[in-house]
Amino acid sequence: MKHTEKLIIKYLTNSISKKEWDELNLWIEQSEDTETLNDYIKINYAIEDSMSEFNTEKTKNSILEKIRKDKRSVITLRIRKYLQYAAAIVLFLGVGYYFQQEKSSNTGNEIALPADDTITLELENGGLEVLSEEGAMEIVNSEGEIIGTQKGNRLVYTGSVEKTEELVYNQITVPYGKRFELELSDGTVAHLNSGSSLKYPVKFLKTGERKIFLVGEVFLDVAKDSNRLFTVNTSDNLDVQVLGTQFNVSNYPEDSTTEVVLVEGSVGLKIGEDSDSVILEPGFKGSFNRTEKNISTKPVITNVYTSWIQGDLVFRNMSFENMLTKLERHYNVQIINENREYSQKVFNANFGDEPIDVVLNYFKNTYGINYTINENKITLN
């Protein structure tokens, strides 16, 4: 695969580094390689229903504008990779527009794309499965062997496949407004919060560490194995290492810190291969500052950080801006704050599993913060 193709896929799957981001931005501005864009970004805005052919130049300019917008606002867009059709990868960009179809100038066939609020599972061959929260299905590998089963909001990997010479990965992506539960092949249970993505082996090897890769937030109940270290790698090069324990990791790209809260057992936090581990005790939170590259610890009430597993919203000593970000993820809405008076005010609140109108009315009645709702867009003033 060409280097530029990898950059495109990394951008669209929200796994691109700042250096790669700048490189892709420059390539789109200067490149005349429209064939690559056709193959990997075959989308067109449904704004112009009369358009019958894929407009490469328009899409190219639109993608460039999205990248520039990302860089101006420093907000990581919620972009999901969807399905593979024939030799081309068709991707859906959820950035405020609703794309209904992909138009092919070669065949004229219409391909239905998964909605922006679906839970998706990427298999080792690049294929994509859409997981319904009420559904049941079997997950098979490229050789047709059953490697896992889904029942409702839980996916369980059996670990029964004998071939273990090399690691084979799946990746699950949970959109805003939803949560999902995953049981790995070693018995480790992962609760994924909204707006999260987890990459993991369909079966761990018999020797060596058990390693998974996280963007977003997960609560892990790690199966004990004194011979195999379990490691959670975050997008900021922080490794969370355990043998068997319960802990929560929050690693959203838009946050300034990665936070690890230990419920029981022992956890080591390590920045890169050459650094020493910072050991957490139960009831403590470790915070990795991505700018200063350091780790601080402090005692906390752990259920404040794990209440989301039951769908509850609990905030302690949190700024208004950070709280709005969590509300966006929890309810799958866009919130625009035009009331700058409360931006940095610190709040303590417990909303349980109340609907969002109850939360908004609380701020209106208590602090005089009015709001308007337009579909899934909320404006505070």
Side-chain angles (χ1 to χ4, degrees):
M1 180 181 292
K2 294 180 181 178
H3 180 62
T4 52
E5 295 172 351
K6 292 181 179 179
L7 292 179
I8 293 171
I9 293 175
K10 280 190 172 185
Y11 173 72
L12 294 173
T13 56
N14 198 19
S15 60
I16 195 167
S17 67
K18 183 180 184 302
K19 181 179 179 181
E20 292 168 331
W21 203 347
D22 293 334
E23 187 178 349
L24 177 60
N25 185 21
L26 181 63
W27 179 82
I28 292 180
E29 286 182 320
Q30 298 179 352
S31 176
E32 297 180 356
D33 184 7
T34 58
E35 182 179 353
T36 299
L37 286 174
N38 273 328
D39 287 343
Y40 285 88
I41 322 172
K42 275 195 173 180
I43 57 173
N44 198 8
Y45 297 131
I47 298 172
E48 301 181 35
D49 292 334
S50 60
M51 185 178 294
S52 60
E53 293 185 356
F54 176 68
N55 188 329
T56 298
E57 188 61 29
K58 182 175 180 180
T59 299
K60 174 179 174 180
N61 293 335
S62 298
I63 296 298
L64 177 59
E65 178 58 28
K66 298 296 179 282
I67 295 176
R68 287 171 175 164
K69 184 178 180 180
D70 279 357
K71 297 180 75 173
R72 288 195 301 268
S73 61
V74 200
I75 295 176
T76 303
L77 296 175
R78 291 180 288 127
I79 301 173
R80 299 290 180 260
K81 181 166 59 177
Y82 286 109
L83 72 114
Q84 185 178 40
Y85 180 76
I89 299 176
V90 182
L91 297 161
F92 179 94
L93 286 158
V95 285
Y97 294 100
Y98 176 56
F99 303 106
Q100 294 181 330
Q101 60 185 16
E102 185 258 351
K103 299 182 179 181
S104 171
S105 59
N106 293 326
T107 65
N109 294 330
E110 296 181 358
I111 304 171
L113 297 178
D116 193 27
D117 61 352
T118 55
I119 300 169
T120 58
L121 176 68
E122 183 184 354
L123 305 176
E124 80 273 15
N125 60 1
L128 203 80
E129 297 284 354
V130 175
L131 304 182
S132 167
E133 293 165 282
E134 294 80 31
M137 65 183 299
E138 294 179 337
I139 308 300
V140 299
N141 61 16
S142 57
E143 298 178 356
E145 300 170 307
I146 298 175
I147 58 175
T149 57
Q150 182 224 347
K151 185 176 181 180
N153 206 43
R154 182 182 175 93
L155 176 59
V156 178
Y157 282 80
T158 62
S160 59
V161 180
E162 293 299 325
K163 185 178 180 181
T164 57
E165 289 83 0
E166 60 182 22
L167 292 172
V168 175
Y169 289 91
N170 282 184
Q171 180 167 314
I172 192 166
T173 299
V174 181
Y176 280 21
K178 296 191 176 182
R179 301 183 306 278
F180 199 77
E181 188 175 319
L182 181 70
E183 183 176 327
L184 302 178
S185 65
D186 65 339
T188 293
V189 177
H191 299 265
L192 279 162
N193 204 354
S194 55
S196 301
S197 179
L198 190 69
K199 180 180 178 182
Y200 52 90
V202 299
K203 183 177 182 180
F204 293 107
L205 302 181
K206 294 180 179 180
T207 59
E209 70 174 339
R210 300 168 288 168
K211 191 167 189 176
I212 62 175
F213 302 85
L214 170 71
V215 175
E217 185 168 19
V218 65
F219 178 83
L220 287 159
D221 187 351
V222 177
K224 291 180 173 59
D225 187 336
S226 58
N227 296 317
R228 293 187 299 170
L229 193 67
F230 192 100
T231 301
V232 182
N233 178 261
T234 66
S235 56
D236 48 24
N237 201 33
L238 176 72
D239 281 343
V240 184
Q241 299 177 326
V242 302
L243 290 174
T245 186
Q246 293 182 350
F247 62 101
N248 194 83
V249 184
S250 182
N251 175 50
Y252 288 104
E254 61 267 31
D255 293 341
S256 60
T257 60
T258 292
E259 296 183 342
V260 180
V261 174
L262 181 60
V263 176
E264 67 175 43
S266 179
V267 164
L269 309 181
K270 191 173 183 179
I271 311 169
E273 293 294 331
D274 299 328
S275 65
D276 295 328
S277 292
V278 175
I279 305 300
L280 285 186
E281 297 178 0
F284 275 74
K285 178 179 75 171
S287 299
F288 171 57
N289 187 302
R290 298 172 186 168
T291 301
E292 299 177 2
K293 304 297 182 184
N294 58 29
I295 298 173
S296 60
T297 65
K298 70 175 184 179
V300 294
I301 301 173
T302 59
N303 61 12
V304 171
Y305 297 89
T306 61
S307 59
W308 63 264
I309 301 173
Q310 286 77 40
D312 293 340
L313 281 170
V314 180
F315 302 110
R316 290 291 182 270
N317 299 317
M318 183 173 293
S319 71
F320 190 56
E321 288 292 340
N322 287 346
M323 189 160 56
L324 294 182
T325 299
K326 290 186 179 293
L327 291 175
E328 286 183 316
R329 297 185 195 126
H330 187 81
Y331 293 108
N332 190 23
V333 295
Q334 179 187 6
I335 301 177
I336 299 174
N337 181 25
E338 295 182 350
N339 189 322
R340 311 313 299 177
E341 177 183 355
Y342 289 96
S343 293
Q344 298 306 316
K345 182 178 175 62
V346 174
F347 286 84
N348 291 285
N350 186 347
F351 296 112
D353 60 353
E354 297 288 353
I356 193 168
D357 59 314
V358 173
V359 178
L360 294 173
N361 282 325
Y362 165 78
F363 288 112
K364 179 180 179 179
N365 297 331
T366 307
Y367 299 98
I369 301 175
N370 293 313
Y371 65 90
T372 57
I373 300 177
N374 183 11
E375 295 181 347
N376 74 328
K377 181 178 178 181
I378 300 169
T379 303
L380 306 181
N381 41 46

